[in-house]
Amino acid sequence: MLEMRKRALASHESINPHGMPWSRCTRESLHVVEPFQQVAELIEQVVETEYGCSVSHLTGREVVIQKGQCLPLHCEDTDLSAVFVLSTEARANPERSDYSGAFVLVNPSGAFGFKRLPWEGLRSEMIYPAAGMLLIFPSYLAHHTHPYNAQEPAVELHFELNVVDNHAHQRLRQPSFPRTL
């Protein structure tokens, strides 16, 4: 984890002259370089086991989030997205409406997930990242982060994946793990 963090920070510094987490000027993939290959292999195993499909294409990049920065609301044009957290020092305090560093998956129904029927619960899933956490979710889900409040940057690996169904005449399975973390 420490070696991946060190290499991700070095890559961010050399490839991302603007320093903003969304402004990387290339989609050059880190997943083909050691030690990042280990994470790509883990993602492929989880996708095979939990979604019943195989990865046909994968690209990965580092994301470094400094104090005061966040990832704006967006979605990807692939099948699945994955985030592997290398480090984060954010200290959220939800009781005080401080969601520092929280990763948010937004339900696509209703603009930005706030429109809901009276009997429905929250339309967004708020996830508080921790080192070693792996998130895999459909790429069509809009996602963003809340502004980050720690001095040490958060370092993550973000992946976009295209997949093929391993069950020729079946729909992709729903993952077996619980929806909430």
Side-chain angles (χ1 to χ4, degrees):
M1 293 279 284
L2 291 174
E3 181 62 25
M4 284 190 284
R5 183 181 189 281
K6 183 174 119 182
R7 288 203 182 183
L9 283 167
S11 179
H12 175 76
E13 191 171 308
S14 68
I15 294 175
N16 193 340
H18 306 295
M20 299 305 285
W22 64 86
S23 67
R24 192 173 191 260
C25 60
T26 176
R27 286 287 191 171
E28 181 181 311
S29 186
L30 292 181
H31 81 279
V32 296
V33 179
E34 273 298 330
F36 303 109
Q37 288 173 335
Q38 300 167 38
V39 177
E41 290 167 6
L42 172 64
I43 290 168
E44 289 177 359
Q45 290 171 355
V46 171
V47 167
E48 172 87 27
T49 302
E50 298 297 336
Y51 287 91
C53 51
S54 297
V55 174
S56 61
H57 179 74
L58 179 142
T59 186
R61 65 190 185 283
E62 84 293 338
V63 172
V64 176
I65 304 172
Q66 303 284 350
K67 184 174 183 169
Q69 294 180 336
C70 64
L71 289 175
L73 184 67
H74 68 285
C75 56
E76 307 295 344
D77 63 354
T78 55
D79 298 323
L80 296 174
S81 293
V83 175
F84 186 76
V85 181
L86 293 173
S87 65
T88 181
E89 300 296 325
R91 299 291 179 247
N93 186 348
E95 289 87 35
R96 301 188 80 197
S97 298
D98 176 1
Y99 305 103
S100 177
F103 186 86
V104 183
L105 292 173
V106 180
N107 185 311
S109 61
F112 305 111
F114 64 81
K115 187 173 178 110
R116 64 184 179 92
L117 296 170
W119 58 85
E120 293 180 311
L122 293 175
R123 301 305 297 266
S124 295
E125 187 74 23
M126 186 106 49
I127 301 162
Y128 295 97
M133 181 182 280
L134 173 62
L135 304 169
I136 300 177
F137 53 93
S139 294
Y140 62 76
L141 287 176
H143 50 283
H144 66 92
T145 64
H146 282 267
Y148 187 74
N149 71 0
Q151 294 301 321
E152 283 295 312
V155 182
E156 304 170 346
L157 303 176
H158 288 215
F159 297 87
E160 284 87 41
L161 304 79
N162 285 320
V163 298
V164 292
D165 189 354
N166 289 346
H167 310 286
H169 301 294
Q170 296 177 9
R171 297 174 71 170
L172 293 177
R173 295 192 312 249
Q174 291 295 317
S176 62
F177 50 83
R179 190 179 80 75
T180 57
L181 301 174

